[in-house]
Amino acid sequence: MNDRSPSASGGFQRPLLHPLGGSNLATLLGAFRKYAPFNRYSLPVRLLAISAVLLRFPFYRAERIFHGRRIQNLELSEDPVFVIGHWRSGTTHLHNLLCKDPQFGWTNFIQTAMPWDFLSRLKIALPIIERFLPDTRGMDNVRLSIESPQEEEMALGNMGSLSYYYCYYFPQHFRRVYRDSILCDDLNEEELQGFRNNFLYLTKKLSLSERNQGKRLLFKNPANTARIPLLRSIFKGAKFIHIVRNPFEVFCSTVRHYERTMSAFAWQEWDEIDFDQLTLENYELMMKRFLQFRSNFDPDSFYELRFEALEENPILEIEKVYDHFKFPNKDMAINAIQEYAQEQRNYRKNVYRISKRQVAQIRRGWGFALDVWNYDLPEGVEVTD
């Protein structure tokens, strides 16, 4: 077996700061016990993650002692709004637009990377983290900063083992982790309750942070697309905004996304993983499961839009979202969102190429999605032999 080195993907260099460096000691040790052995290339990163957890230990323990009861006793004024959709479907773009509305609170990079200690000032850690943070997310040209809105999945992985991010960290266990963390079929009640407890604790803690106080939280996380019943068991009044994109573009972007993400975070070999097949399998599993839930939604708690429409006229599509849910302060929100939308007009999109064999595989495996959302091969995707 030829182990892929950190520079195997187009010269991409593995960042020294691994997400698990923001976990607590119990979570890190649990991951080591459950998913070892690891490859030699990840040794420096693993040692740094261990060091980060040990150095932070007294600080996150103190934060739990001083703030734990306050967090537990907090009553949320409103249940969150969830932006969902398969990876590479435009969830980040939609989330970034909505986050410009000052009525919403959201998770930033520090909060998702260090869920146990973000209520502290972290003045010493912030410059160090910012120095090692890449300019963009790697799989696309979306800018990245310590204050930019992020999904909460990394935080959940640093609070317990039920997280999709573990697919990237431990790719030898990809299929099992995916089924456990996304579909949740084989989990016992103790595991499900642990996830509920962690998610609720994180939500309450986010609501206590300075920027989010008194605001309704807006989460964005593709992994939540097939977790809807589990989320509704925690937040009965939650709202869900689903964004869908042409499956051919989703396929191309997801395959690229896997390789770049594993180059950054994997602690195990992944050279034998067939990313085409993995993408085909996972999309089918997630979206068929989502469609089962979609038919049971109360219209007042669910709205669906298309990425292509959002890209063409973001303000019109956002107005439809606000009208559907009757979100307050619509005019003020649209003004703030419009300014950001104008800034994104020159965003440089990736160019996609796909083989005839891949086109046939998508039509065969994802035909249900092409039919439900009325998509076909777009003109902008180049088909090769």
Side-chain angles (χ1 to χ4, degrees):
M1 180 182 294
N2 295 320
D3 182 19
R4 293 186 187 178
S5 69
S7 59
S9 182
F12 180 78
Q13 294 298 314
R14 181 194 300 272
L16 285 176
L17 294 179
H18 192 274
L20 282 175
S23 66
N24 62 352
L25 189 58
T27 300
L28 186 65
L29 292 178
F32 271 71
R33 286 193 299 266
K34 189 172 183 178
Y35 297 109
F38 309 121
N39 62 23
R40 62 188 177 87
Y41 294 110
S42 65
L43 179 60
V45 179
R46 282 183 279 129
L47 292 175
L48 188 58
I50 295 169
S51 300
V53 171
L54 293 176
L55 286 171
R56 290 174 36 254
F57 180 83
F59 300 101
Y60 67 70
R61 286 296 300 163
E63 184 164 305
R64 185 72 181 250
I65 292 169
F66 288 117
H67 296 284
R69 180 168 296 181
R70 182 169 163 238
I71 295 167
Q72 293 286 4
N73 293 337
L74 178 70
E75 294 289 336
L76 298 174
S77 58
E78 289 183 287
D79 284 331
V81 176
F82 291 91
V83 173
I84 57 174
H86 192 277
W87 291 271
R88 321 306 304 140
S89 292
T91 55
T92 297
H93 182 46
L94 176 57
H95 188 234
N96 285 342
L97 287 165
L98 292 171
C99 283
K100 295 304 174 182
D101 182 351
Q103 74 177 290
F104 289 123
W106 36 269
T107 313
N108 66 21
F109 181 84
I110 291 298
Q111 290 166 337
T112 196
M114 302 174 68
W116 295 110
D117 28 1
F118 66 73
L119 289 181
S120 304
R121 294 294 181 180
L122 295 173
K123 288 184 178 180
I124 297 175
L126 291 182
I128 299 173
I129 296 172
E130 192 164 24
R131 179 181 177 183
F132 287 98
L133 203 64
D135 292 334
T136 69
R137 301 193 307 171
M139 77 285 293
D140 53 29
N141 299 307
V142 174
R143 301 291 297 177
L144 189 61
S145 75
I146 58 175
E147 288 297 333
S148 59
Q150 299 294 321
E151 61 192 50
E152 74 282 358
E153 192 69 11
M154 186 188 296
L156 294 172
N158 285 344
M159 299 175 76
S161 62
L162 194 59
S163 170
Y164 170 76
Y165 270 49
Y166 281 40
C167 293
Y168 304 142
Y169 308 160
F170 315 114
Q172 291 295 307
H173 303 268
F174 195 111
R175 283 181 170 84
R176 176 164 65 90
V177 172
Y178 186 91
R179 287 182 175 273
D180 286 348
S181 64
I182 303 296
L183 305 179
C184 307
D185 286 339
D186 300 323
L187 301 180
N188 58 43
E189 183 55 35
E190 181 180 357
E191 291 170 314
L192 291 171
Q193 191 57 46
F195 178 87
R196 293 187 189 101
N197 292 343
N198 286 341
F199 208 129
L200 184 59
Y201 187 84
L202 175 65
T203 303
K204 290 182 176 183
K205 192 172 182 180
L206 287 166
S207 297
L208 288 175
S209 65
E210 185 176 349
R211 188 192 63 252
N212 293 335
Q213 286 184 3
K215 297 180 179 181
R216 186 174 199 172
L217 288 179
L218 176 69
F219 287 119
K220 183 277 296 188
N221 187 355
N224 287 333
T225 306
R227 292 176 181 158
I228 292 167
L230 185 56
L231 294 174
R232 298 185 83 175
S233 72
I234 311 170
F235 309 106
K236 299 190 184 307
K239 308 292 185 185
F240 294 87
I241 307 172
H242 178 243
I243 184 167
V244 63
R245 185 182 184 184
N246 190 302
F248 289 98
E249 293 183 332
V250 169
F251 175 86
C252 296
S253 189
T254 303
V255 170
R256 178 185 300 181
H257 158 79
Y258 279 144
E259 185 156 345
R260 294 302 296 266
T261 308
M262 288 187 190
S263 293
F265 299 133
W267 285 0
Q268 296 172 331
E269 293 82 0
W270 45 274
D271 57 305
E272 292 187 352
I273 295 178
D274 184 338
F275 290 125
D276 284 14
Q277 186 60 36
L278 199 65
T279 301
L280 290 165
E281 290 176 10
N282 291 344
Y283 183 95
E284 183 175 1
L285 285 169
M286 171 177 277
M287 301 314 292
K288 282 186 174 179
R289 180 65 57 88
F290 165 75
L291 287 172
Q292 293 175 11
F293 304 144
R294 190 180 75 155
S295 61
N296 297 322
F297 262 118
D298 177 350
D300 292 338
S301 64
F302 177 77
Y303 185 80
E304 187 172 85
L305 71 159
R306 297 166 79 93
F307 171 78
E308 295 79 11
L310 182 68
E311 188 177 42
E312 181 178 350
N313 195 333
I315 299 306
L316 176 61
E317 294 305 310
I318 295 296
E319 285 182 334
K320 291 179 182 178
V321 172
Y322 276 71
D323 290 341
H324 180 84
F325 289 118
K326 298 180 173 58
F327 288 148
N329 305 314
K330 172 185 167 182
D331 291 341
M332 182 176 66
I334 292 301
N335 287 336
I337 292 169
Q338 190 162 26
E339 183 177 345
Y340 174 78
Q342 287 288 107
E343 295 172 359
Q344 300 304 304
R345 285 186 305 171
N346 296 323
Y347 172 75
R348 183 164 51 89
K349 293 175 59 179
N350 290 319
V351 177
Y352 299 122
R353 295 178 179 83
I354 192 169
S355 70
K356 292 180 180 178
R357 178 181 61 84
Q358 290 170 323
V359 170
Q361 288 176 314
I362 292 169
R363 291 195 187 281
R364 184 167 57 250
W366 297 2
F368 71 96
L370 297 173
D371 291 341
V372 169
W373 287 292
N374 193 27
Y375 278 115
D376 205 341
L377 184 66
E379 293 181 1
V381 173
E382 179 184 343
V383 180
T384 64
D385 292 330

